[in-house]
Amino acid sequence: MESVYLAVAFGAIVAGFVQGLSGFAFGMVAMSCWAWFLEPQLAAVLAVCGAWTGQMIAAFTRRRTSYWQILLPFLVGGLVGVPLGTYLLPFLDAAVFKAFLGTLMVIWCPIMLMSSRLGHVRVRSRLANGVAGLIGGVMGGLGGMTGVIPTLWTTMTGLPKDEQRAVIQNFNLATLSITLLAYIASGAILPSMLPSIGLVMLAVLIPVLAGARLYVGISQSTFRAIVLSLLTLSGIAMLVSSVPQLLAR
């Protein structure tokens, strides 16, 4: 049991630092560690609770501009997408969806990373932002990865790093709050999970602040490289989780 708690704490510490630095990716980093030790339901609950805690810490410890004109379409799309993804979960082939999206990210993100001239889409319409938020919300309902598509889209459009990070953090905070409420309402959070949830919430505190402090000193190009690298790893994680399921059919 002690080894399990150590694994939970280690995953939360590393994921909290990455989230503090980039504004997203808690679930991806934590799940890469927890998947080997925890049941899927517990791992999913801990990922949502840890990511939500990290976003709350960031919201109350560092003053940031919300960029409401950019953020609002993402939020509207995301708040529609979370329940939609939850509803579609029993009907959608999640393995095929993750394999397709993972392949796209593994191919496209390294191309963007290697060439600064590629991937800058000159479209920043509210409709496009809303669609990105909608897909992010659906992915949150399907598997808790709310920030992947909005982060990819804001990177492709060349949004400045401070605006991008603020938009993604506020978007994740809103969609994760809805997801957490859905978990509570559905009874997905069991009494036996509470010690692990408390451990995760405590473990992310200092790493999130440390990551946020490091963020202040990095350049636009370095931040872009970090985000695209994390998105590539997100794609790999999707493929690792989905391909064995597809091959087993």
Side-chain angles (χ1 to χ4, degrees):
M1 182 61 70
E2 290 184 2
S3 61
V4 173
Y5 283 133
L6 287 175
V8 168
F10 176 78
I13 289 170
V14 176
F17 177 80
V18 172
Q19 179 175 289
L21 177 61
S22 66
F24 78 113
F26 182 96
M28 178 202 71
V29 176
M31 291 291 262
S32 66
C33 175
W34 294 342
W36 302 97
F37 301 94
L38 305 179
E39 296 179 356
Q41 183 181 0
L42 175 59
V45 169
L46 293 183
V48 171
C49 290
W52 179 83
T53 301
Q55 296 296 357
M56 288 295 291
I57 293 171
F60 283 99
T61 57
R62 179 176 172 81
R63 185 178 179 180
R64 64 193 187 206
T65 305
S66 297
Y67 301 101
W68 282 108
Q69 289 186 341
I70 303 173
L71 174 63
L72 189 58
F74 283 99
L75 285 179
V76 172
L79 295 179
V80 172
V82 169
L84 180 60
T86 304
Y87 172 77
L88 291 176
L89 184 58
F91 308 102
L92 185 68
D93 193 324
V96 172
F97 177 77
K98 288 183 179 181
F100 171 78
L101 185 59
T103 300
L104 178 65
M105 293 172 63
V106 166
I107 294 174
W108 182 245
C109 292
I111 293 175
M112 293 176 63
L113 185 59
M114 290 184 289
S115 177
S116 59
R117 296 182 181 181
L118 294 178
H120 285 253
V121 180
R122 301 302 178 187
V123 177
R124 294 186 183 177
S125 70
R126 293 183 178 180
L127 178 60
N129 291 347
V131 171
L134 175 67
I135 299 174
V138 170
M139 289 185 62
L142 291 173
M145 301 182 73
T146 58
V148 172
I149 294 302
T151 302
L152 177 60
W153 175 245
T154 52
T155 302
M156 290 177 62
T157 57
L159 198 68
K161 74 182 183 78
D162 289 340
E163 295 181 28
Q164 180 183 15
R165 190 169 183 271
V167 167
I168 296 304
Q169 283 186 317
N170 286 308
F171 173 81
N172 280 339
L173 179 57
T175 51
L176 286 168
S177 296
I178 297 298
T179 304
L180 187 58
L181 289 174
Y183 279 1
I184 294 172
S186 65
I189 299 180
L190 304 176
S192 61
M193 298 178 180
L194 295 180
S196 296
I197 291 173
L199 177 60
V200 167
M201 289 182 168
L202 288 174
V204 301
L205 176 58
I206 294 177
V208 165
L209 296 175
R213 185 177 182 85
L214 181 61
Y215 163 82
V216 176
I218 64 177
S219 65
Q220 173 76 24
S221 60
T222 301
F223 182 74
R224 183 175 186 272
I226 290 171
V227 167
L228 288 172
S229 298
L230 290 172
L231 288 171
T232 301
L233 292 175
S234 295
I236 294 173
M238 290 182 194
L239 288 175
V240 169
S241 65
S242 61
V243 170
Q245 298 177 30
L246 295 174
L247 293 177
R249 296 178 179 179

